[in-house]
Amino acid sequence: MGIVGGSLSPEQLQFFEAQGYLVIESFGKPNEIQDMRNRMDQLLNGFDCSTASVFSSKNQKQLTDDHFYNSADKISFFFEEKAFTDDGKLKHPKELSINKVGHALHEHDPVFKSFCQSEQISHMLVSLGYKRPVIIQSMYIFKQPGIGGEVVPHQDNSFLYTEPPSCTGLWLALEDATVINGCLWAIPGSHKNGLVRRFIRDDEGVHFDRPSPSYDHKDFVSIEVKAGSLVIIHGDLIHQSFENQSPKSRHALSLHVVDTESCVWAPDNWYV
């Protein structure tokens, strides 16, 4: 299902409110998708491997890495956990070893900035009820063939919290995403149960304020989409993705939006 003029229809809004997510097919134009992929190739060719660190959603303590802290307003590179041999050497070329690039592509790169500031996104956010939306984070996620890491069940509001909560995830497929190469999975309607826990930054560093609940895989549904599709994700929706054990990558652009009108940014967010 697509959208007209960037605004969501009453039926789309009803589905989103009931399920906590919504797929909009052909949201990204083929030329926009190709431009972003080509631009990322250029960025990868130009970056120095020695300036990157490893990202893992399973080991959040790794976030004490200054490289991660300092990436909030920069374009930074993060390797897959399984990208290295035991002696610390890359198993594959760097372009096949990167987990993601973040977290400010929307601010500092003209190609990504152009897409993120499009009227189509602006109109869509207004139809979702945003008064003064701001993209607070952007990530290019690679989900590399064979080594693309698992992203454990989580809620976006845990990491980017405002009072009241206002985070929405926008996940644009830059390649087809299937159950084989690591598509998104979600528990429909789980956003209605509210926020489970927060990821905070304090004198002890960064950590969750409580343990993760256990989830039953049978409660999740797969969200398989074609390249160009946009998945809108409620900030309290439980979602995840599995390892990519296939020979095909699963590139995606992930954006997170918060409202800056009548919403206060939490001072103990990891993302200052």
Side-chain angles (χ1 to χ4, degrees), residues 3-190:
I3 56 178
V4 179
S7 296
L8 300 175
S9 69
E11 293 77 17
Q12 288 173 318
L13 288 169
Q14 184 178 25
F15 184 93
F16 178 72
E17 290 166 4
Q19 303 299 318
Y21 71 93
L22 176 69
V23 175
I24 304 175
E25 298 174 351
S26 303
F27 184 90
K29 301 179 183 67
N31 65 298
E32 291 177 319
I33 303 299
Q34 195 58 55
D35 285 348
M36 286 187 278
R37 295 193 61 184
N38 290 344
R39 178 55 182 154
M40 185 50 63
D41 284 343
Q42 294 173 350
L43 292 173
L44 284 176
N45 288 336
F47 103 95
D48 180 357
C49 291
S50 66
T51 64
S53 64
V54 173
F55 177 80
S56 168
S57 76
K58 291 183 177 181
N59 179 20
Q60 296 288 354
K61 278 294 184 182
Q62 157 262 312
L63 297 185
T64 55
D65 182 337
D66 285 342
H67 182 67
F68 199 100
Y69 277 149
N70 295 332
S71 69
D73 61 351
K74 296 180 177 65
I75 298 175
S76 301
F77 299 79
F78 301 88
F79 283 114
E80 287 283 358
E81 273 190 294
K82 296 182 179 180
F84 297 91
T85 61
D86 291 340
D87 58 357
K89 295 180 180 178
L90 285 176
K91 297 177 183 177
H92 307 287
K94 63 181 181 180
E95 61 269 18
L96 295 177
S97 304
I98 289 291
N99 170 287
K100 68 176 182 178
V101 175
H103 290 94
L105 288 161
H106 62 289
E107 292 183 354
H108 298 305
D109 186 89
V111 173
F112 290 94
K113 187 174 185 177
S114 174
F115 176 80
C116 293
Q117 293 185 349
S118 68
E119 288 189 1
Q120 188 178 22
I121 285 184
S122 177
H123 291 163
M124 180 197 63
L125 292 172
V126 169
S127 68
L128 281 171
Y130 279 87
K131 304 300 183 185
R132 196 167 61 194
V134 169
I135 295 176
I136 200 73
Q137 185 183 77
S138 54
M139 298 176 284
Y140 190 110
I141 304 170
F142 295 83
K143 208 72 163 180
Q144 301 287 5
I147 63 169
E150 174 187 3
V151 176
V152 298
H154 67 282
Q155 299 167 295
D156 292 338
N157 272 328
S158 295
F159 301 93
L160 302 166
Y161 186 75
T162 62
E163 183 59 52
S166 66
C167 184
T168 296
L170 305 177
W171 194 94
L172 180 72
L174 302 178
E175 295 182 295
D176 294 351
T178 69
V179 294
I180 305 300
N181 70 351
C183 70
L184 294 173
W185 293 72
I187 302 179
S190 57

